[in-house]
PDB file of all heavy atoms in Angstrom:
ATOM      1  N   ILE A 384     320.772 256.151  13.466  1.00 98.00           N
ATOM      2  CA  ILE A 384     320.045 257.174  14.234  1.00 98.00           C
ATOM      3  C   ILE A 384     318.691 257.318  13.535  1.00 98.00           C
ATOM      4  O   ILE A 384     318.510 257.328  12.253  1.00 98.00           O
ATOM      5  CB  ILE A 384     320.903 258.557  13.867  1.00 98.00           C
ATOM      6  CG1 ILE A 384     322.247 258.465  14.485  1.00 98.00           C
ATOM      7  CG2 ILE A 384     320.088 259.768  14.574  1.00 98.00           C
ATOM      8  CD1 ILE A 384     323.139 259.580  13.973  1.00 98.00           C
ATOM      9  N   VAL A 418     296.094 244.253  20.638  1.00 98.00           N
ATOM     10  CA  VAL A 418     296.223 244.701  19.208  1.00 98.00           C
ATOM     11  C   VAL A 418     295.651 246.235  19.215  1.00 98.00           C
ATOM     12  O   VAL A 418     294.712 246.566  19.886  1.00 98.00           O
ATOM     13  CB  VAL A 418     295.116 243.819  18.370  1.00 98.00           C
ATOM     14  CG1 VAL A 418     295.064 244.359  16.991  1.00 98.00           C
ATOM     15  CG2 VAL A 418     295.715 242.415  18.292  1.00 98.00           C
ATOM     16  N   VAL A 421     294.757 251.239  13.646  1.00 98.00           N
ATOM     17  CA  VAL A 421     295.481 252.455  13.241  1.00 98.00           C
ATOM     18  C   VAL A 421     294.734 252.906  11.948  1.00 98.00           C
ATOM     19  O   VAL A 421     294.427 252.113  11.093  1.00 98.00           O
ATOM     20  CB  VAL A 421     296.997 252.085  12.900  1.00 98.00           C
ATOM     21  CG1 VAL A 421     297.646 253.439  12.496  1.00 98.00           C
ATOM     22  CG2 VAL A 421     297.706 251.470  14.115  1.00 98.00           C
ATOM     23  N   HIS A 430     307.535 260.160   5.744  1.00 98.00           N
ATOM     24  CA  HIS A 430     307.071 259.360   4.584  1.00 98.00           C
ATOM     25  C   HIS A 430     307.753 259.638   3.320  1.00 98.00           C
ATOM     26  O   HIS A 430     308.483 260.588   3.289  1.00 98.00           O
ATOM     27  CB  HIS A 430     305.530 259.501   4.407  1.00 98.00           C
ATOM     28  CG  HIS A 430     305.160 260.851   3.918  1.00 98.00           C
ATOM     29  ND1 HIS A 430     304.972 261.920   4.636  1.00 98.00           N
ATOM     30  CD2 HIS A 430     304.885 261.210   2.674  1.00 98.00           C
ATOM     31  CE1 HIS A 430     304.668 263.017   3.990  1.00 98.00           C
ATOM     32  NE2 HIS A 430     304.622 262.588   2.700  1.00 98.00           N
ATOM     33  N   THR A 443     304.442 253.777  -9.079  1.00 98.00           N
ATOM     34  CA  THR A 443     304.004 253.521  -7.721  1.00 98.00           C
ATOM     35  C   THR A 443     305.125 252.959  -6.884  1.00 98.00           C
ATOM     36  O   THR A 443     306.184 252.449  -7.451  1.00 98.00           O
ATOM     37  CB  THR A 443     302.875 252.628  -7.552  1.00 98.00           C
ATOM     38  OG1 THR A 443     303.029 251.504  -8.357  1.00 98.00           O
ATOM     39  CG2 THR A 443     301.535 253.331  -8.086  1.00 98.00           C
ATOM     40  N   ARG A 462     319.514 276.128   7.983  1.00 98.00           N
ATOM     41  CA  ARG A 462     318.852 276.707   9.161  1.00 98.00           C
ATOM     42  C   ARG A 462     318.878 278.199   9.168  1.00 98.00           C
ATOM     43  O   ARG A 462     318.184 278.727  10.072  1.00 98.00           O
ATOM     44  CB  ARG A 462     319.541 276.125  10.433  1.00 98.00           C
ATOM     45  CG  ARG A 462     319.376 274.644  10.580  1.00 98.00           C
ATOM     46  CD  ARG A 462     320.183 274.097  11.755  1.00 98.00           C
ATOM     47  NE  ARG A 462     321.570 274.205  11.483  1.00 98.00           N
ATOM     48  CZ  ARG A 462     322.589 274.034  12.393  1.00 98.00           C
ATOM     49  NH1 ARG A 462     322.163 273.830  13.730  1.00 98.00           N
ATOM     50  NH2 ARG A 462     323.778 274.148  11.987  1.00 98.00           N
ATOM     51  N   ASP A 481     323.183 260.530  -3.862  1.00 96.00           N
ATOM     52  CA  ASP A 481     321.961 260.135  -4.479  1.00 96.00           C
ATOM     53  C   ASP A 481     320.725 261.014  -3.967  1.00 96.00           C
ATOM     54  O   ASP A 481     319.666 261.096  -4.613  1.00 96.00           O
ATOM     55  CB  ASP A 481     321.539 258.628  -4.005  1.00 96.00           C
ATOM     56  CG  ASP A 481     322.627 257.730  -4.440  1.00 96.00           C
ATOM     57  OD1 ASP A 481     323.143 257.887  -5.596  1.00 96.00           O
ATOM     58  OD2 ASP A 481     322.814 256.694  -3.666  1.00 96.00           O
ATOM     59  N   VAL A 484     319.558 266.245   1.337  1.00 98.00           N
ATOM     60  CA  VAL A 484     318.814 266.280   2.537  1.00 98.00           C
ATOM     61  C   VAL A 484     318.805 267.829   3.101  1.00 98.00           C
ATOM     62  O   VAL A 484     319.914 268.384   3.335  1.00 98.00           O
ATOM     63  CB  VAL A 484     319.369 265.475   3.653  1.00 98.00           C
ATOM     64  CG1 VAL A 484     318.546 265.624   4.977  1.00 98.00           C
ATOM     65  CG2 VAL A 484     319.281 263.905   3.141  1.00 98.00           C
ATOM     66  N   GLY A 494     304.073 269.996  15.051  1.00 98.00           N
ATOM     67  CA  GLY A 494     302.831 269.962  15.934  1.00 98.00           C
ATOM     68  C   GLY A 494     302.310 271.392  16.109  1.00 98.00           C
ATOM     69  O   GLY A 494     301.293 271.555  16.880  1.00 98.00           O
ATOM     70  N   CYS A 512     318.312 269.773  -8.850  1.00 98.00           N
ATOM     71  CA  CYS A 512     318.259 268.337  -8.334  1.00 98.00           C
ATOM     72  C   CYS A 512     318.105 267.314  -9.428  1.00 98.00           C
ATOM     73  O   CYS A 512     318.715 266.256  -9.434  1.00 98.00           O
ATOM     74  CB  CYS A 512     317.320 268.243  -7.256  1.00 98.00           C
ATOM     75  SG  CYS A 512     317.658 269.175  -5.699  1.00 98.00           S
ATOM     76  N   THR A 523     310.911 269.255   6.778  1.00 98.00           N
ATOM     77  CA  THR A 523     309.660 269.980   6.701  1.00 98.00           C
ATOM     78  C   THR A 523     308.504 269.157   6.081  1.00 98.00           C
ATOM     79  O   THR A 523     308.664 268.086   5.677  1.00 98.00           O
ATOM     80  CB  THR A 523     309.967 271.237   5.603  1.00 98.00           C
ATOM     81  OG1 THR A 523     310.184 270.649   4.355  1.00 98.00           O
ATOM     82  CG2 THR A 523     311.172 271.974   6.099  1.00 98.00           C
ATOM     83  N   ALA A 533     299.738 282.907   5.629  1.00 94.00           N
ATOM     84  CA  ALA A 533     300.877 283.680   5.538  1.00 94.00           C
ATOM     85  C   ALA A 533     301.586 283.636   4.128  1.00 94.00           C
ATOM     86  O   ALA A 533     302.569 284.274   3.862  1.00 94.00           O
ATOM     87  CB  ALA A 533     301.999 283.210   6.569  1.00 94.00           C
ATOM     88  N   ALA A 544     307.691 271.772  -7.215  1.00 98.00           N
ATOM     89  CA  ALA A 544     308.870 270.941  -6.826  1.00 98.00           C
ATOM     90  C   ALA A 544     308.395 269.462  -6.945  1.00 98.00           C
ATOM     91  O   ALA A 544     309.286 268.618  -7.480  1.00 98.00           O
ATOM     92  CB  ALA A 544     309.314 271.299  -5.447  1.00 98.00           C
ATOM     93  N   HIS A 545     307.360 269.124  -6.411  1.00 98.00           N
ATOM     94  CA  HIS A 545     306.838 267.654  -6.494  1.00 98.00           C
ATOM     95  C   HIS A 545     306.792 267.193  -8.009  1.00 98.00           C
ATOM     96  O   HIS A 545     307.295 266.213  -8.387  1.00 98.00           O
ATOM     97  CB  HIS A 545     305.498 267.560  -5.954  1.00 98.00           C
ATOM     98  CG  HIS A 545     305.356 267.350  -4.483  1.00 98.00           C
ATOM     99  ND1 HIS A 545     305.411 268.383  -3.599  1.00 98.00           N
ATOM    100  CD2 HIS A 545     305.235 266.200  -3.666  1.00 98.00           C
ATOM    101  CE1 HIS A 545     305.310 267.933  -2.341  1.00 98.00           C
ATOM    102  NE2 HIS A 545     305.212 266.650  -2.445  1.00 98.00           N
ATOM    103  N   ALA A 551     310.802 263.304 -12.879  1.00 98.00           N
ATOM    104  CA  ALA A 551     312.100 262.852 -13.210  1.00 98.00           C
ATOM    105  C   ALA A 551     312.573 261.487 -12.435  1.00 98.00           C
ATOM    106  O   ALA A 551     313.739 261.236 -12.408  1.00 98.00           O
ATOM    107  CB  ALA A 551     313.140 263.878 -12.963  1.00 98.00           C
ATOM    108  N   ASN A 558     309.127 265.221   6.337  1.00 99.00           N
ATOM    109  CA  ASN A 558     309.009 265.110   7.766  1.00 99.00           C
ATOM    110  C   ASN A 558     309.994 264.391   8.470  1.00 99.00           C
ATOM    111  O   ASN A 558     309.722 263.525   9.431  1.00 99.00           O
ATOM    112  CB  ASN A 558     307.536 264.653   8.133  1.00 99.00           C
ATOM    113  CG  ASN A 558     306.544 265.606   7.681  1.00 99.00           C
ATOM    114  OD1 ASN A 558     306.549 266.720   7.831  1.00 99.00           O
ATOM    115  ND2 ASN A 558     305.453 264.884   7.165  1.00 99.00           N
ATOM    116  N   LEU A 562     317.908 265.845  12.359  1.00 98.00           N
ATOM    117  CA  LEU A 562     319.091 265.812  11.458  1.00 98.00           C
ATOM    118  C   LEU A 562     320.434 266.330  12.008  1.00 98.00           C
ATOM    119  O   LEU A 562     321.459 266.160  11.447  1.00 98.00           O
ATOM    120  CB  LEU A 562     318.741 266.566  10.216  1.00 98.00           C
ATOM    121  CG  LEU A 562     317.713 266.014   9.276  1.00 98.00           C
ATOM    122  CD1 LEU A 562     317.220 266.902   8.154  1.00 98.00           C
ATOM    123  CD2 LEU A 562     318.371 264.651   8.642  1.00 98.00           C
ATOM    124  N   TYR A 574     312.868 252.989   4.079  1.00 98.00           N
ATOM    125  CA  TYR A 574     312.122 251.773   3.626  1.00 98.00           C
ATOM    126  C   TYR A 574     310.576 252.111   3.944  1.00 98.00           C
ATOM    127  O   TYR A 574     310.285 252.354   5.018  1.00 98.00           O
ATOM    128  CB  TYR A 574     312.490 250.568   4.335  1.00 98.00           C
ATOM    129  CG  TYR A 574     313.854 250.078   4.107  1.00 98.00           C
ATOM    130  CD1 TYR A 574     314.755 249.959   5.043  1.00 98.00           C
ATOM    131  CD2 TYR A 574     314.206 249.764   2.746  1.00 98.00           C
ATOM    132  CE1 TYR A 574     316.188 249.523   4.868  1.00 98.00           C
ATOM    133  CE2 TYR A 574     315.527 249.251   2.547  1.00 98.00           C
ATOM    134  CZ  TYR A 574     316.498 249.284   3.503  1.00 98.00           C
ATOM    135  OH  TYR A 574     317.764 248.780   3.260  1.00 98.00           O
ATOM    136  N   VAL A 591     325.665 256.600  10.152  1.00 95.00           N
ATOM    137  CA  VAL A 591     327.009 257.395  10.145  1.00 95.00           C
ATOM    138  C   VAL A 591     328.090 256.601  10.595  1.00 95.00           C
ATOM    139  O   VAL A 591     327.859 255.519  11.413  1.00 95.00           O
ATOM    140  CB  VAL A 591     326.767 258.666  10.896  1.00 95.00           C
ATOM    141  CG1 VAL A 591     325.672 259.538  10.283  1.00 95.00           C
ATOM    142  CG2 VAL A 591     326.525 258.402  12.368  1.00 95.00           C
TER     143      VAL A 591
END
Side-chain angles (χ1 to χ4, degrees):
I384 298 165
V418 173
V421 182
H430 68 275
T443 53
R462 290 175 295 165
D481 300 324
V484 177
C512 289
T523 65
H545 276 85
N558 294 321
L562 288 172
Y574 297 117
V591 298

